Amino acid sequence: MSVFLLGAPPAFMKYTDVPLFVSNRPLSKIKELYRARGRVSVDSGGFSELDDHGSWDYGPTPRQYAGQVGRYVDYVGIDWAAPQDWMCEPWITAKTGLTVEEHQARTVGNYLELKAIDDRLPIIPVLQGWTIPDYEHCIDLYDRAGVDLRALPLVGIGSVCRRQGTEEAARLVRRIADYGIRLHGFGFKIDGLRRVAQYLPSSDSMAWSAAGRREEQGCDFRFPGSRGPHKNEANCLRYALKWRDDVLAAIEEGLAQPEQLAFPLAA
């Protein structure tokens, strides 16, 4: 694995240079953006939009989102951003009332629309599905649209977060990696990364925040100028960085496994 992105609130961009994954939802509300200390990529907030509303109707339009991403390129200095994709977990499709195939078509369509608005934007395509044949169908949709996923530096693989520690998810990642596609795994935590680290050039997780919310003692760490101490660790940078150390150790453990990648990692 080349890089692990720590899922984080935007404030972390001021105080650490570790690679971060920041959601567009809070980031878009910041009026005066600032240059990040380290590498940053942006999540569109798609899971939350569909989980909350069953559609993208309450989120930014593609043109608005393209404008937001362009602003982050100029002021934050981001590496890439996810499209406004449509997750395919059964509980999400139940909320939208749409089929997996329609979610896939909308995911591919949004990527194409965002690139048509401004092809300089660092939007990555995302594969969506639920079964291995679903994801292979999504690859075919991109192929038919003239998008060669194998030629791109990074492609997201979605709808795996809730099952990322399972053998089912591991088989899925291995199968898609065999196509020669360099994958970013959304929401891969410690157990999942032990299984598939050698197949993912990139991944992210914010699992530390949910774990930190259960730490009732809190700690005395706080950002300069902020009030404290905080009541738990859900937004604590020190806690997040310690958790990240555990993730990096799990990645090293996964990379030490005997199986090898079917293609070289991107530099």
Side-chain angles (χ1 to χ4, degrees), residues 13-65:
M13 298 189 305
K14 291 182 179 179
Y15 302 109
T16 181
D17 59 2
V18 304
L20 301 177
F21 196 48
V22 179
S23 173
N24 182 61
R25 286 181 130 194
L27 191 58
S28 65
K29 295 178 172 60
I30 299 177
K31 293 182 179 180
E32 295 186 10
L33 290 171
Y34 41 85
R35 204 74 178 175
R37 287 185 55 183
R39 299 175 64 179
V40 174
S41 296
V42 175
D43 179 34
S44 67
F47 186 89
S48 296
E49 289 292 336
L50 299 187
D51 193 40
D52 290 348
H53 307 297
S55 74
W56 272 95
D57 292 348
Y58 296 88
T61 66
R63 188 162 294 278
Q64 289 170 334
Y65 183 60

Side-chain angles (χ1 to χ4, degrees), residues 11 30 38 54 60 85 90 106 130 134 140 159 162 175 197 207 212 222 233 259:
I30 299 177
D85 52 339
R106 294 187 182 204
W130 190 246
D134 288 340
D140 185 58
S159 300
R162 302 294 178 91
R175 175 59 178 161
R222 60 185 184 274
E233 306 283 22
E259 290 186 83

Side-chain angles (χ1 to χ4, degrees), residues 3-214:
V3 61
F4 173 75
L5 304 174
L6 179 69
F12 281 22
M13 298 189 305
K14 291 182 179 179
Y15 302 109
T16 181
D17 59 2
V18 304
L20 301 177
F21 196 48
V22 179
S23 173
N24 182 61
R25 286 181 130 194
L27 191 58
S28 65
K29 295 178 172 60
I30 299 177
K31 293 182 179 180
E32 295 186 10
L33 290 171
Y34 41 85
R35 204 74 178 175
R37 287 185 55 183
R39 299 175 64 179
V40 174
S41 296
V42 175
D43 179 34
S44 67
F47 186 89
S48 296
E49 289 292 336
L50 299 187
D51 193 40
D52 290 348
H53 307 297
S55 74
W56 272 95
D57 292 348
Y58 296 88
T61 66
R63 188 162 294 278
Q64 289 170 334
Y65 183 60
Q68 291 165 347
V69 172
R71 186 168 169 252
Y72 307 148
V73 170
D74 292 339
Y75 293 98
V76 177
I78 65 170
D79 285 351
W80 55 266
Q84 295 168 289
D85 52 339
W86 290 67
M87 293 75 230
C88 294
E89 288 90 343
W91 54 92
I92 295 294
T93 56
K95 289 192 173 188
T96 67
L98 302 172
T99 64
V100 167
E101 291 79 6
E102 181 61 26
H103 278 223
Q104 293 174 317
R106 294 187 182 204
T107 294
V108 175
N110 179 261
Y111 171 76
L112 296 174
E113 184 173 2
L114 291 170
K115 297 299 282 186
I117 292 170
D118 186 347
D119 64 1
R120 298 168 299 177
L121 294 176
I123 305 288
I124 69 166
V126 170
L127 292 168
Q128 288 290 354
W130 190 246
T131 66
I132 289 177
D134 288 340
Y135 287 89
E136 293 176 324
H137 172 67
C138 198
I139 293 171
D140 185 58
L141 289 180
Y142 280 107
D143 282 342
R144 283 188 272 161
V147 180
D148 184 0
L149 300 180
R150 302 156 192 83
L152 298 177
L154 202 63
V155 175
I157 183 165
S159 300
V160 290
C161 178
R162 302 294 178 91
R163 51 184 176 149
Q164 49 82 36
T166 66
E167 184 56 36
E168 175 191 22
R171 285 196 301 270
L172 167 63
V173 170
R174 293 171 192 146
R175 175 59 178 161
I176 303 306
D178 281 343
Y179 277 85
I181 299 173
R182 292 171 171 82
L183 294 172
H184 173 84
F186 292 107
F188 271 78
K189 298 181 280 291
I190 290 175
D191 288 343
L193 288 173
R194 284 197 184 98
R195 292 172 177 265
V196 298
Q198 59 186 304
Y199 298 94
L200 293 174
S202 175
S203 69
D204 73 83
S205 178
M206 198 175 180
W208 65 269
S209 185
R213 191 169 289 109
R214 296 190 291 269

